[in-house]
Each structure stands twice: as C-alpha cells, then as structure tokens.
Amino acid sequence: CYGLLVVAFPVRMAQLGAGESAAGYLWTAIECGGLLGIVLVSTRLRRFRPERVVAAAVAGFGAALAVLAVMPTVALTLAVGVVAGFAEGPNLPAVFAARQRYSPDDLLAQVATTGVSLKIGAFALGSVLSGTLTGVLGATGMMLLAAAGQFVGAGVGLTTGGRTARTPSDDPSCSVRKAG
C-alpha cells in the first residue's frame, strides 16, 4: 500500500499549508523513524517468530498511518511520521530472517528476488492508482485506505503464517538446520 501514498502525501502536505514538496520531509521522517526502529528494537525481537514481527510491524505502521492522516499540523504530521517509521522499521530485518529461516539454501536467492519483484510491482500498481484514487477519496481518505491495506495484510499474515510456515527442522536443506 506504499504506492497509494505517492500522490496522497504531497496533497496532504499542501492541505496543511506546507506545499506539495514538503511530502519529501514526511517520507524522510518515516525513513528516519524506520532506521530508529531497526537499530533500537529489531535485536530485541529475535525471540519472536519473524512472521509475527512482520505482521506486528505492518499493523503498527497501519495504525500510525491512520493517525497520520488526521494530524492537523505539519509538525504533528512529521512527528507521527517518525512514529510510523519506527513501528514499521523491524519489518525489513524480520522479512530477511523469515526468508533465511524458511527457504532452502538453493532457493534463497530466488525467494528473495521474487519477493523484491512483487514488492516493486505492488508499489508501481499502487502508484498508478494513487493519482486517480486520491482525486476521488482525497488525501486523508487515501491514507486511511493505505492504513486499511496494512491491517488486511497483517491479518492475512497472522491467519496463514502460523499454519503453513515450516520450521527449520522440517527440511534438512535449510540454513538453520545445517548450522544447528
């Protein structure tokens, strides 16, 4: 749902009186928060299954994005942007951990590149829809739609990940199995 924000963020910042180009500050706030989340929180999350961390990070980002959509000032919007990034930060290391944990060594590169390709494709599709849908829903509606997409993604991950995910001991070709 990130792609849905490509037009919504500039429109929202213009609504707040900062001009469309101030959306760059919002993207920067989110990314800085993400870096903080990775550095300060990710190492503490290793005791949890990585797919659970991904679902929690996606849901946390969705919650913060919903709050972000209704902030009345630029300063509050940027502050909540940092919080949104912080919530989403552990997502990337957890995705890498899940790929490494559940992918056989000979397929790890394929799994990783396929995942990246799907993410880029989804972003591009969201970006295409962003212009039209932001015109229909408005910036706030579009940001709330993106937040709802995060909740749907987290819900799907939580309801399907636990039953279908292998553990390292299920397949002797997994890296974790060989190391243990």
Side-chain angles (χ1 to χ4, degrees), residues 5 11 23 29 43 54 61 100 103 124 136-137 145 180:
L5 304 172
V11 171
T43 56
V54 169
F61 180 72
Q100 209 164 24
S103 299
V136 173
L137 300 175
L145 178 63

Side-chain angles (χ1 to χ4, degrees), residues 114-134:
T114 301
V116 169
S117 295
L118 289 171
K119 189 170 186 167
I120 291 169
F123 183 87
L125 179 60
S127 296
V128 166
L129 296 173
S130 184
T132 302
L133 291 177
T134 300

Side-chain angles (χ1 to χ4, degrees), residues 40-99:
L40 299 176
V41 178
S42 290
T43 56
R44 292 179 174 88
L45 299 176
R46 289 184 184 148
R47 66 179 172 256
F48 301 105
R49 292 177 57 174
E51 60 272 23
R52 299 288 182 190
V53 175
V54 169
V58 168
F61 180 72
L65 187 58
V67 172
L68 185 72
V70 296
M71 287 293 96
T73 67
V74 171
L76 287 173
T77 299
L78 295 177
V80 174
V82 172
V83 171
F86 187 86
E88 205 255 345
N91 188 4
L92 186 61
V95 166
F96 289 160
R99 286 178 185 159

